[in-house]
Amino acid sequence: MPDDLAPRIPLDRLGALLGPRGLLTDPGDIAPYLSDWRALYTGASPAVARPASTDELAALVRLCAETRTPVVPMGGNTSMVGGATPDESGRQVIVSLARMNRLRDLDPLDMTMTCEAGVVVKAAQEAAAEAGCLFPLSFGGEGTATIGGVLSTNAGGNTTVRYGNARELMLGLEVVLPDGQVWHGLRRLRKDNTGYALRHLFVGAEGTLGFITAAVLRLFARARETEVALCAVADEEAALAVFRRFRDRDETAVRAFEYMSGTGVALYAKCIENGVVPIPGHAHYVLVDLASSRPDAGLRGLLEAVLEEAMEAGEVLDAALGESDAQRAALWRIREEHPEAQKREGASVKNDVSVPVSKTPELIRRASAACARLIPGVRPVPFGHMGDGNIHMNLQQPEGMEGAAFLARSHDIMETVNEVVRELGGSFSAEHGIGRLKTDMMESWRGGAELDVMQRIKAALDPQGLMNPGKVLP
Ligand code: MLT
Ligand code: ZN
């Protein structure tokens, strides 16, 4: 849009619509909304709108459509790709859904819960647990990220191997469309074959097609037995072999299977308070999490039997088993604090990529070697969701190198990793989405018919291009 056509938002009308609690215009109040968790971007915005209901949001969207005001939806602001950060123009209004945080319904017979977009993921887990059920989506940012955000980005996390991504946990949606219409699609049906599956269009669209305001989520039986083990493994192939052993014995038991490099585990011990590693000094680790809703599942027996076999085969070198909830949480902390440890150590480049599960060892080896050739001394910190093929192929700056100089090579690093990912039949974005960071990769990875259809969908739903501009599509 030419500059002269871009109008300024009528803040007085917005204020009248949303009331004093619903609109922030003071620069000090707005500041925390202007940059992303990774501090990759800092944008500008005239206001943060905080609607309290779907009707208020719909009226807000109609006003923005009328005045051609671009909007940036925001949940917990935990995007890894700048997906909720406004640009620098100062024209984009941030719309935080934090006040829309009611649990509208929970039905333990239907095994569904209906949450508004601003419900924090951890609160959703807790509400499900109180009702004797399980909402299984789980990842490091769950204490801050919101239901609207995780659906808009189709978040994955640690339990994808068993329960799928956010998309698979969603049955119905309520959406405010870019013209201000409300689509009431909060159906809680397991079967509903009625034309195009519209709800799936909004999941993963990162707010570029409308605002998800509420969702019907699937619940599962709560775990009555759990086991967690940290295992030192011989190498990347051994890590995968151990996964296979567990899956072959009892596919339903594996709730998470996470890989960690020795470098990442050592960074945890170095950078995180009370960062204790019970079996330090190894080059490769896996974290195995088993869970069953059966009270007599015998998971300890399964765990010990598999570890014994794997030790005999030379795959597992040592293991620490969680003997209590506190110990199991402490083992998980080693994995969960990886992003924070990397942040504290200095500059790092993230590569959230996926390959077929069978190719994860090759990905880790080849991408690490290619990056070491590109930047001598670089510290590869691959970790993540090996059980679903999503490895965070992250790189830490070489010791002694300036952070800024390292980050200036981000593009080269991502290209280097992506080259390997492409050869292995993988994806350049597994679970973090595209946001602002990866829009320039869309053409080369999804160009042709796929991107053409995406652009036509965008144009059909949001012809003025007001919904989260500059994200997802190049
Ligand atoms: C995680 O699984 O911890 C994050 O998605 C990975 C990251 O910070 O790169
Ligand atoms: Zn992850």
Side-chain angles (χ1 to χ4, degrees):
M1 184 193 304
D3 257 13
D4 52 340
L5 285 183
R8 299 209 66 84
I9 181 76
L11 291 182
D12 52 339
R13 284 177 74 189
L14 260 189
L17 193 77
L18 299 168
R21 282 192 65 209
L23 190 66
L24 308 178
T25 52
D26 184 273
D29 293 337
I30 296 177
Y33 296 82
L34 297 179
S35 45
D36 60 303
W37 182 82
R38 293 178 60 191
L40 293 176
Y41 305 104
T42 298
S45 175
V48 178
R50 302 171 73 244
S53 68
T54 302
D55 286 346
E56 258 184 37
L57 175 61
L60 162 83
V61 171
R62 281 195 294 275
L63 178 59
C64 289
E66 181 197 313
T67 56
R68 293 210 299 273
T69 302
V71 290
V72 180
M74 186 181 284
N77 198 15
T78 58
S79 174
M80 296 279 191
V81 288
T85 310
D87 69 8
E88 293 78 21
S89 69
R91 294 202 177 90
Q92 302 184 344
V93 170
I94 297 165
V95 181
S96 160
L97 280 83
R99 288 175 74 208
M100 296 177 58
N101 62 354
R102 285 182 314 132
L103 173 67
R104 291 193 192 166
D105 179 72
L106 192 153
D107 191 319
L109 192 57
D110 284 339
M111 294 294 263
T112 57
M113 68 196 291
T114 307
C115 292
E116 291 187 346
V119 171
V120 169
V121 172
K122 192 153 190 56
Q125 293 168 354
E126 285 166 1
E130 265 169 45
C133 303
L134 170 76
F135 177 60
L137 191 70
S138 175
F139 57 101
E142 65 193 22
T144 314
T146 60
I147 293 300
V150 295
L151 286 171
S152 291
T153 56
N154 188 25
N158 303 328
T159 57
T160 299
V161 61
R162 169 113 153 237
Y163 297 101
N165 297 311
R167 181 187 301 286
E168 280 86 35
L169 303 175
M170 178 275 306
L171 292 176
L173 289 184
E174 178 186 88
V175 177
V176 173
L177 298 167
D179 62 3
Q181 281 191 83
V182 181
W183 172 46
H184 297 282
L186 286 176
R187 296 188 277 265
R188 50 169 114 161
L189 306 173
R190 309 282 163 155
K191 289 188 169 178
D192 178 27
N193 261 343
T194 50
Y196 303 144
L198 282 191
R199 65 188 191 281
H200 285 300
L201 207 51
F202 298 98
V203 176
E206 302 186 31
T208 60
L209 300 178
F211 284 87
I212 294 176
T213 51
V216 179
L217 302 168
R218 292 174 65 194
L219 300 177
F220 296 81
R222 77 180 163 89
R224 290 185 177 81
E225 259 191 37
T226 52
E227 292 289 345
V228 176
L230 176 71
C231 311
V233 291
D235 54 22
E236 298 88 342
E237 282 77 13
L240 190 62
V242 174
F243 172 60
R244 190 168 178 182
R245 285 184 190 279
F246 279 106
R247 227 192 23 194
D248 285 354
R249 282 265 187 150
D250 185 352
E251 190 186 27
T252 64
V254 182
R255 183 166 61 179
F257 192 90
E258 300 279 312
Y259 169 84
M260 291 173 282
S261 69
T263 311
V265 169
L267 283 184
Y268 166 79
K270 177 182 169 193
C271 302
I272 303 294
E273 311 80 48
N274 308 315
V276 179
V277 179
I279 45 170
H282 294 275
H284 306 273
Y285 294 86
V286 294
L287 187 78
V288 189
D289 184 306
L290 307 177
S292 174
S293 60
R294 282 172 37 209
D296 57 349
L299 293 181
R300 179 49 74 104
L302 169 78
L303 179 62
E304 286 175 349
V306 169
L307 291 183
E308 203 178 306
E309 277 174 26
M311 279 181 169
E312 270 169 29
E315 293 156 4
V316 170
L317 308 175
D318 201 355
L321 276 49
E323 300 294 348
S324 63
D325 282 348
Q327 280 188 14
R328 286 187 278 274
L331 294 178
W332 258 111
R333 198 166 163 251
I334 301 171
R335 163 63 189 88
E336 290 290 17
E337 294 288 359
H338 261 56
E340 186 61 30
Q342 278 205 278
K343 201 173 175 179
R344 293 187 190 175
E345 177 68 4
S348 66
V349 174
K350 288 185 192 292
N351 292 281
D352 165 44
V353 296
S354 61
V355 291
V357 175
S358 60
K359 305 282 187 201
T360 47
E362 197 179 339
L363 167 71
I364 296 169
R365 277 182 195 279
R366 285 179 55 188
S368 300
C371 290
R373 282 193 298 274
L374 183 74
I375 302 181
V378 76
R379 289 172 287 168
V381 188
F383 66 94
H385 323 295
M386 183 176 246
D388 66 38
N390 171 198
I391 298 293
H392 298 298
M393 199 48 245
N394 296 359
L395 285 306
Q396 196 77 32
Q397 71 190 89
E399 264 155 328
M401 186 174 184
E402 273 297 313
F406 179 65
L407 292 179
R409 306 294 308 275
S410 298
H411 185 262
D412 300 341
I413 293 172
M414 289 197 264
E415 283 293 300
T416 301
V417 171
N418 282 347
E419 219 166 281
V420 180
V421 172
R422 204 188 277 273
E423 281 174 25
L424 296 177
S427 170
F428 68 108
S429 178
E431 63 172 1
H432 295 170
I434 305 300
R436 193 166 157 182
L437 184 66
K438 295 189 175 178
T439 48
D440 66 338
M441 298 178 191
M442 284 293 272
E443 182 65 51
S444 85
W445 284 82
R446 297 290 177 258
E450 198 168 350
L451 191 53
D452 180 47
V453 172
M454 289 192 212
Q455 274 159 337
R456 283 195 276 160
I457 291 170
K458 171 74 174 170
L461 266 72
D462 181 21
Q464 300 202 84
L466 299 177
M467 299 298 308
N468 213 5
K471 315 291 166 39
V472 181
L473 298 175

